Amino acid sequence: MKKTFLAIALATSVFTLSACNSNDDEVVVATKYGEITQNNFYEELKAAYGNTLIVNLVVEHILENKYDVKKEEIDERFNESKEQFGDSFELYLSMQGLTEEQWKENLRFQLLFEKAGEDLVKKEDIEEYFNQAKYELNARHILVKDEKKAKEIYDKLQNGEDFAKLAEEHSEDPRSGANGGELGWFSVGQMVPEFNDAAYALEIDEISEPVKSNFGYHIIQVTDKREVEDLGTLEENEPQIKQAILETKIIDLVKESDVDVKDEDLKDAFANILGGE
């Protein structure tokens, strides 16, 4: 059950899926060979970038409703970036294909995520993550959709039945079930949070009670554990850890927002966040 990270574009051009203009036939580009309408442009943009864009727009919408970014904050960050680039600032914007207003919009996104990080990521979260990151785990699991079935399998394991055999017979994870539930080595943050925290709380060979995630119910057994070499200090790893935790927290916000995708073409955009294979 590897975790798929939410892709959040903070420093890319801002695309707008413009639905505010009711005239879908408005011409965007005209040539002697024909015209490209707003609807043509929208459909092509949706086909190429739709899933990523709709996720980013939903995340932006959620954060805008939780945090306030003032114009003064954007202007201050904008002036800082101008000073940082000096005479090369206009050239940099040109190379990125951005106007000053689009750059300010990117800075607004950046500030939204910073405010979310300050609010959602606690010092104890970072310390716990770092303590987990010191080790890699080797584990196997049995995944089923039904809680009652998961409990029955757990009871069989407690009575001494073979884990690998039960995984091959019952696990609904197509990647590991046929292989006795073997997942191989993984490190912190690679699995969905519920699985991650349950696995890191286990001793070697201990079997967990059923753990619920968006994929179903996992019965987990950690079979080995090893230290991570050259991890560095907490201070050295803190920025990356904070980003990883923030990502998980934002995914939680998306899950809590009752996302209902109306467009059939975009119905799978949130599959990796809200659950499913």
Side-chain angles (χ1 to χ4, degrees), residues 12 19 22 97 123 125 138 147 156-157 167 187 198 203 229 265:
T12 58
S22 60
K123 182 178 180 182
D125 296 331
N138 197 309
E147 183 180 14
K156 289 181 180 181
L157 290 167
S187 57
E203 299 295 332
E229 296 180 3
D265 296 332

Side-chain angles (χ1 to χ4, degrees), residues 14 22 28 40 46 53 55 57 92 105 108 110 128 136 138 160 165 169 177 180-181 188 196 208 212 225 236-237 262:
V14 179
S22 60
V28 177
N40 296 147
K46 183 172 69 169
L53 280 172
V55 170
L57 288 170
Y92 174 77
E105 186 68 6
R108 186 179 71 86
Q110 206 170 60
E128 180 182 0
E136 291 179 323
N138 197 309
K165 184 178 179 182
E169 291 175 355
V188 64
N196 179 94
S208 75
K212 185 180 180 181
K225 183 177 183 178
E236 290 169 338
N237 285 277
K262 306 294 187 181

Side-chain angles (χ1 to χ4, degrees), residues 157-170:
L157 290 167
Q158 294 304 300
N159 289 325
E161 292 198 31
D162 184 70
F163 194 107
K165 184 178 179 182
L166 288 171
E168 289 168 4
E169 291 175 355
H170 300 288

Side-chain angles (χ1 to χ4, degrees), residues 64-249:
E64 282 176 336
N65 280 273
K66 290 183 67 68
Y67 307 105
D68 180 36
V69 175
K70 295 180 170 51
K71 181 179 182 299
E72 293 77 15
E73 294 176 286
I74 299 171
D75 289 341
E76 181 181 354
R77 188 66 61 86
F78 179 78
N79 291 331
E80 288 174 0
S81 59
K82 280 189 75 171
E83 184 177 337
Q84 177 186 351
F85 285 101
D87 295 337
S88 302
F89 183 62
E90 295 299 329
L91 176 62
Y92 174 77
L93 290 183
S94 176
M95 291 174 65
Q96 298 297 316
L98 296 172
T99 65
E100 289 192 357
E101 287 308 308
Q102 287 173 327
W103 181 249
K104 285 184 178 181
E105 186 68 6
N106 284 340
L107 293 175
R108 186 179 71 86
F109 292 163
Q110 206 170 60
L111 285 162
L112 275 174
F113 281 97
E114 288 178 13
K115 288 175 182 285
E118 291 166 4
D119 178 42
L120 299 173
V121 182
K122 309 302 181 187
K123 182 178 180 182
E124 53 268 29
D125 296 331
I126 296 172
E127 291 173 349
E128 180 182 0
Y129 192 104
F130 181 71
N131 288 332
Q132 291 180 349
K134 293 176 182 177
Y135 301 95
E136 291 179 323
L137 304 182
N138 197 309
R140 55 186 180 177
H141 80 147
I142 300 170
L143 171 68
V144 293
K145 304 295 185 184
D146 182 68
E147 183 180 14
K148 181 180 177 182
K149 185 175 180 180
K151 289 179 178 178
E152 289 172 355
I153 294 170
Y154 175 75
D155 289 341
K156 289 181 180 181
L157 290 167
Q158 294 304 300
N159 289 325
E161 292 198 31
D162 184 70
F163 194 107
K165 184 178 179 182
L166 288 171
E168 289 168 4
E169 291 175 355
H170 300 288
S171 184
E172 297 175 47
D173 181 353
R175 291 179 292 273
S176 70
N179 193 33
E182 294 290 342
L183 295 167
W185 290 97
F186 60 90
S187 57
V188 64
Q190 286 187 281
M191 302 296 186
V192 290
E194 301 89 347
F195 188 107
N196 179 94
D197 291 344
Y200 272 93
L202 293 172
E203 299 295 332
I204 292 177
D205 292 331
E206 183 181 359
I207 296 173
S208 75
E209 294 188 16
V211 176
K212 185 180 180 181
S213 80
N214 286 323
F215 294 95
Y217 293 87
H218 310 260
I219 301 167
I220 308 164
Q221 184 180 40
V222 172
T223 55
D224 204 354
K225 183 177 183 178
R226 65 188 181 195
E227 289 190 27
V228 173
E229 296 180 3
D230 303 320
L231 178 64
T233 65
L234 173 60
E235 290 72 23
E236 290 169 338
N237 285 277
E238 187 166 340
Q240 297 94 320
I241 291 174
K242 188 173 182 179
Q243 179 62 29
I245 296 172
L246 176 58
E247 189 174 76
T248 298
K249 299 287 188 182

Side-chain angles (χ1 to χ4, degrees), residues 41-55:
F41 181 69
Y42 170 81
E43 290 299 329
E44 288 294 325
L45 189 61
K46 183 172 69 169
Y49 306 105
N51 283 358
T52 299
L53 280 172
I54 201 65
V55 170

